[in-house]
Amino acid sequence: MVALAQAPPSAERLRALDGFLEAAWAEQARHDERLRGLAVAVRFDRGVAHLSGEVPGPEQLRLVRELVGRLAGVYGVWGRVRVAGRDPVVVDLGCGGQKQYPANLGLDIFPAPGVDAVADLSGSLPLADDSVDVIFTVHILEHLIDFLPLVDECHRVLRPGGVLHVMSPWWGHVNAVADPTHVRLLDVQTIKGVCGQRPPGTPRWYPLHAGCDGASIFADLTPLPADAPPVSPAHLARFFD
């Protein structure tokens, strides 16, 4: 029997981690001139940062996301933030009866409370090109034999600067195999493959953040245009082996 080195943190440690992150972010916000006047609230829940509020433009939102993501112990940076007076279009794929935020647009293959539109996530999404700001795929990819078509569809419908949030069971945790409807095993290195090991001509992604808490993997990805330069090895080394 091989012992896996990574174990999920206890609930007590996660609560303590959230307290540390709240204090660290409050200190950063007090001393970083770039954050002055930005009406963005940051809440931490089990290592995931949740952003809310409003910013004047996408550059400020990108800055807040980047700075929050640099804090040690942050697994993902999620949120619903108004940009230049416009509410974001946020889509929850495979949401079932529970969306990540109540105002999200919920899509699922089965009707349920909270599902706004029934859609087969293994096919084309019923959404226009460049029409969505944020997409959540929380505990979805592991249910698809081939999840790359869905990832490509997310690339199509996201606006420039939009974000795809991924959360799935880590292959080394029992949750990955306990559900018989799980047909794929994922690791943080899988996200590296999505970002940098696809054939030429396929949609490309820039990893804003990626991590694993010992039970789940997390990734925040933004679409790259076809003519963008490759992601630097230094940036990839921050998240991937």
Side-chain angles (χ1 to χ4, degrees):
M1 179 176 179
V2 176
L4 298 174
Q6 190 170 16
S10 65
E12 181 179 359
R13 184 184 175 193
L14 286 172
R15 286 192 295 269
L17 172 63
D18 289 340
F20 162 80
L21 292 171
E22 288 169 6
W25 178 250
E27 182 176 1
Q28 170 126 10
R30 280 196 304 270
H31 296 289
D32 194 325
E33 293 288 342
R34 296 171 295 177
L35 299 172
R36 296 285 170 83
L38 295 183
V40 176
V42 183
R43 175 180 62 87
F44 296 94
D45 182 12
R46 293 170 293 178
V48 175
H50 294 264
L51 313 183
S52 60
E54 184 169 358
V55 293
E59 299 82 8
Q60 290 81 13
L61 179 56
R62 181 75 175 256
L63 172 66
V64 174
R65 283 191 49 87
E66 181 178 347
L67 294 179
V68 172
R70 288 180 184 177
L71 296 177
V74 170
Y75 298 121
V77 185
W78 298 0
R80 285 185 60 96
V81 178
R82 287 171 57 87
V83 178
R86 181 180 65 83
D87 286 323
V89 177
V90 184
V91 174
D92 232 315
L93 297 181
C95 63
Q98 184 176 3
K99 301 177 185 177
Q100 303 309 310
Y101 301 103
N104 291 356
L105 174 67
L107 273 63
D108 205 313
I109 194 170
F110 299 113
V115 174
D116 300 293
V118 175
D120 182 357
L121 301 184
S122 64
S124 299
L125 295 177
L127 300 165
D129 295 359
D130 303 328
S131 63
V132 176
D133 297 290
V134 178
I135 297 176
F136 284 96
T137 56
V138 176
H139 293 298
I140 296 303
L141 300 188
E142 66 272 16
H143 293 275
L144 301 175
I145 294 175
D146 183 3
F147 59 75
L148 289 175
L150 176 60
V151 171
D152 291 348
E153 275 291 280
C154 291
H155 194 288
R156 176 184 66 81
V157 304
L158 279 171
R159 293 187 173 111
V163 180
L164 168 64
H165 296 300
V166 175
M167 179 181 178
S168 287
W170 177 52
W171 71 269
H173 192 271
V174 66
N175 288 348
V177 294
D179 186 338
T181 67
H182 291 176
V183 294
R184 292 297 302 269
L185 298 176
L186 287 89
D187 185 78
V188 174
Q189 293 300 111
T190 311
I191 304 302
K192 179 183 180 181
V194 169
C195 292
Q197 297 176 5
R198 303 284 308 281
T202 52
R204 301 168 59 219
W205 295 90
Y206 182 92
L208 298 170
H209 205 80
C212 176
D213 66 0
S216 302
I217 65 162
F218 300 83
D220 302 333
L221 310 176
T222 191
L224 280 174
D227 58 351
V231 182
S232 73
H235 183 75
L236 293 175
R238 181 182 169 198
F239 308 118
F240 310 118
D241 294 334

